[in-house]
């Protein structure tokens, strides 16, 4: 008898931990009712699905507006075409720029601030990039601007020591902006090629945290 609750709990946990693109698609699919033609309720369900998959309020509103227009103007009456329209509208939002490569020699120091969801590999990626830059003969300074999560500074320090590159840090709980500033200042005064700045994990749709 306990099984349904466990399943729900597991599903909740899974949803919380792996909000990947597969999750978004699954959630949106779940929200679509097979009732044809496409009803207002189905669009509402789609909106709820997008919000539930952390697409964000602003982006969801603009996607839903476009989808509603297309359902009307193209007489969309099947789930397949609705899914296709959603796919096209989402793809249209991705800037063309995203496909271009980054020229790390275009500035000195070249500063990379690594931002993203908790536990997605920001700090590890900094270590990999630092190692790569070092192997290429570039000088790099790490900035421990994740002053929020417990042991985040020590974690980056461990990588800095392993790779053999310098790191700028302040005390835990201090202003991350000040660490970033000091890291860039250090790179300028030491004539370093680059800065890799670590930050505390945050959701991309928390605009105040992204602005920070
Ligand atoms: N398999 C695999 N694991 C990875 C990769 N990158 C990071 N990890 C692991 O994922 C976990 C989280 O990595 P971190 O680099 O600490 O992630 P983070 O985004 O800095 O995490 P927070 O600082 O807590 O937000 C660690 O256990 C890493 O070893 C990867 O490319 N492949
Ligand atoms: Mg980290």
């Amino acid at each position: 008898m306990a099984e349904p609750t466990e399943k729900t709990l597991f599903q909740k946990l899974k949803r919380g931990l792996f909000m990947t693109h597969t999750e978004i698609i699954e959630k949106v699919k779940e929200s679509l009712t097979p009732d044809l033609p496409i009803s207002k309720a189905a669009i509402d369900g789609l909106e709820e699905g997008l919000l539930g998959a952390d697409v964000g309020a602003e982006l969801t509103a603009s996607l839903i507006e476009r989808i509603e227009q297309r359902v009307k103007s193209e007489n969309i009456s099947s789930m397949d075409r609705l899914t296709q329209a959603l796919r096209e509208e989402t793809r249209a939002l991705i800037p063309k720029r995203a496909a271009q490569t980054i020229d790390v020699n275009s500035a000195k120091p070249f500063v990379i601030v690594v931002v993203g969801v908790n536990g997605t590999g920001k700090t590890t990626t900094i270590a990999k990039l630092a190692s790569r830059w070092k192997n290429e003969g570039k000088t790099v300074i790490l900035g421990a601007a994740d002053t929020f999560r417990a042991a985040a500074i020590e974690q980056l320090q461990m990588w800095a020591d392993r790779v053999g590159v310098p790191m700028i840090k302040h005390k835990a709980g201090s202003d991350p902006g000040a660490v970033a500033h000091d890291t860039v200042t250090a790179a300028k005064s030491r004539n370093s090629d680059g800065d890799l700045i670590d930050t505390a994990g945050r959701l991309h749709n928390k605009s105040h945290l992204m602005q920070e």
Side-chain angles (χ1 to χ4, degrees):
M1 287 307 272
E3 206 185 317
T5 325
E6 276 168 24
K7 215 174 168 188
T8 316
L9 201 70
F10 175 70
Q11 279 169 347
K12 272 188 193 161
L13 204 66
K14 191 176 145 216
R15 212 163 273 165
L17 291 174
F18 302 106
M19 203 53 92
T20 60
H21 100 276
T22 322
E23 274 289 298
I24 295 176
I25 289 168
E26 285 310 311
K27 198 140 177 70
V28 169
K29 267 193 195 156
E30 266 173 36
S31 72
L32 289 173
T33 38
D35 301 329
L36 301 175
I38 304 300
S39 62
K40 176 84 179 91
I43 300 283
D44 287 348
L46 177 62
E47 184 172 21
E48 204 180 299
L50 289 168
L51 288 171
D54 281 336
V55 173
E58 213 176 310
L59 199 53
T60 298
S62 77
L63 276 173
I64 291 294
E65 196 190 318
R66 289 288 304 133
I67 292 295
E68 278 178 328
Q69 279 169 6
R70 287 187 62 166
V71 166
K72 267 189 212 137
S73 66
E74 296 168 33
N75 265 327
I76 293 179
S77 62
S78 78
M79 294 254 285
D80 277 354
R81 284 196 53 209
L82 186 69
T83 313
Q84 180 61 26
L86 178 64
R87 196 171 283 146
E88 285 165 10
E89 293 305 327
T90 311
R91 195 172 287 149
L93 291 167
I94 300 169
K96 295 272 183 293
R97 230 160 6 106
Q100 285 178 1
T101 52
I102 297 169
D103 179 12
V104 296
N105 298 312
S106 60
K108 189 172 174 157
F110 192 88
V111 181
I112 298 181
V113 181
V114 181
V115 190
V117 177
N118 307 59
T120 44
K122 294 179 293 296
T123 306
T124 313
T125 301
I126 287 176
K128 290 180 189 173
L129 278 174
S131 170
R132 179 174 167 164
W133 281 7
K134 198 183 172 200
N135 287 337
E136 288 171 359
K138 288 184 167 56
T139 46
V140 55
I141 302 179
L142 308 190
D146 179 356
T147 58
F148 181 75
R149 184 175 58 71
I153 299 171
E154 290 79 359
Q155 185 190 359
L156 190 70
Q157 184 71 66
M158 190 191 75
W159 282 117
D161 295 343
R162 278 189 188 164
V163 178
V165 292
M167 182 186 102
I168 302 297
K169 65 176 172 188
H170 290 187
K171 274 196 235 127
S174 61
D175 176 15
V179 181
H181 177 270
D182 285 359
T183 310
V184 176
T185 306
K188 280 182 180 164
S189 67
R190 297 181 206 178
N191 202 27
S192 278
D193 296 305
D195 275 327
L196 294 166
I197 299 175
D198 197 18
T199 64
R202 67 202 67 204
L203 277 174
H204 51 281
N205 58 2
K206 296 278 179 285
S207 43
H208 63 293
L209 291 179
M210 292 306 286
Q211 287 299 325
E212 188 185 62

